Amino acid sequence: MGGDTVTVKVEEREIEEVEYEEMNDGDDDDDDEGDDATEMAIHWVQRRSLMPRTLESQITLEKTPSYFVTQEAPRRIFNMSRDTKLIVVVRNPVTRAISDYTQTLSKKPDIPTFEGLSFRNRTLGLVDASWNAIRIGMYALHLESWLRYFPLAQIHFVSGERLITDPAGEMARVQDFLGIKRLITDKHFYFNKTKGFPCLKKPESSLLPRCLGKSKGRTHVQIDPEVIDQLREFYRPYNIKFYETVGQDFRWE
Ligand SMILES: Nc1ncnc2c1ncn2[C@@H]1O[C@H](COP(=O)(O)OS(=O)(=O)O)[C@@H](OP(=O)(O)O)[C@H]1O
């Protein structure tokens, strides 16, 4: 379970990255699912003790993608601090599954095809909802576990699509949710043609602009369009339930 911690110094108007050694291989993938409960609990205690001291004027952010889909995470976070604000970046679950597969394939080139892994029975159109790449995108199910502990008002959903097309707008919503001044604005982003994505610049500093790493924004594996349609159908009820629960239409259909 890889994760990063960031301290946002609200008053000093400065964002400081605090890097920690990863607990394991630093991989953000969800291949830690096999961890047994004890190991997870130890990781949790270690992780908490690694959180930096936070002054009244600071907010500490921790980023661990797998929390959203980890059964025990809502209870543990609630027990640590019930006031924790939660931010979840969600994107079209079909694109998310292909992105996930593309990432795994880059590390393990011998895995079966996406089409092969997606179905329990392709002829019958039976999607394999136990495959992580598919399961993670069933957002409505995962959200249920969180809503048992946290009110919806404490959870903010970032649109992964808008984060690419309008990063400043999406960041404005994040800052409003956190109750901090809108310090990150369109001045902090520019579109990098080579990368094909928005990248960061820090207008007030001499630091060079910075794009996300090579593993973010890769060309996706080509998938049979029929399979894409089948997955779109599969996700539709989960997406609709998700939109209804959060009161926001992410327009994935
Ligand atoms: N600015 C910018 N630059 C590059 N990539 C961007 C950006 N904004 C969003 N994205 C999308 O982020 C996707 C990778 O994020 P991950 O989900 O793998 O990150 S993490 O593992 O949760 O940290 C990555 O998915 P892929 O395109 O499938 O690689 C991107 O589409």
Side-chain angles (χ1 to χ4, degrees), residues 23-205:
M23 303 292 200
N24 51 17
D25 60 2
D27 195 333
D28 271 348
D29 289 342
D30 299 279
D31 41 18
D32 50 293
E33 298 268 318
D35 283 0
D36 65 23
T38 315
E39 204 178 317
M40 286 282 284
I42 293 169
H43 276 189
W44 188 264
V45 172
Q46 287 174 329
R47 178 165 296 262
R48 192 179 161 183
S49 68
L50 284 174
M51 296 289 270
R53 286 166 190 272
T54 308
L55 299 172
E56 278 297 306
S57 59
Q58 297 177 326
I59 299 171
T60 296
L61 302 185
E62 201 231 1
K63 174 189 88 85
T64 300
S66 55
Y67 279 173
F68 186 57
V69 298
T70 299
Q71 196 63 39
E72 305 77 17
R75 180 176 48 81
R76 288 181 174 164
I77 295 180
F78 179 85
N79 288 338
M80 182 188 73
S81 167
R82 63 183 58 196
D83 300 326
T84 303
K85 288 189 177 184
L86 305 158
I87 300 175
V88 192
V89 184
V90 285
R91 77 194 293 192
N92 184 326
V94 180
T95 323
R96 208 215 74 82
I98 300 170
S99 168
D100 196 326
Y101 177 79
T102 304
Q103 168 131 328
T104 308
L105 191 68
S106 72
K107 294 179 200 160
K108 300 174 190 161
D110 297 333
I111 56 170
T113 62
F114 179 88
E115 289 83 347
L117 289 165
S118 294
F119 295 94
R120 281 197 286 150
N121 184 325
R122 189 170 168 187
T123 325
L124 295 178
L126 272 181
V127 170
D128 188 352
S130 69
W131 181 33
N132 257 342
I134 299 287
R135 190 182 69 90
I136 293 171
M138 298 155 76
Y139 304 133
L141 292 190
H142 308 302
L143 182 57
E144 268 177 28
S145 318
W146 289 89
L147 292 176
R148 277 189 217 117
Y149 290 89
F150 294 94
L152 191 60
Q154 234 165 289
I155 313 177
H156 179 73
F157 296 90
V158 173
S159 154
E161 286 79 16
R162 285 198 306 256
L163 195 57
I164 297 168
T165 55
D166 178 21
E170 218 41 41
M171 285 308 294
R173 279 185 274 271
V174 168
Q175 291 167 97
D176 291 350
F177 169 71
L178 292 176
I180 58 177
K181 272 192 186 168
R182 291 186 180 184
L183 301 175
I184 309 281
T185 64
D186 52 1
K187 289 205 292 286
H188 293 83
F189 297 97
Y190 73 102
F191 186 80
N192 183 306
K193 277 195 195 141
T194 317
K195 176 85 182 164
F197 281 90
C199 295
L200 276 173
K201 55 183 175 183
K202 297 187 179 172
E204 68 284 353
S205 86

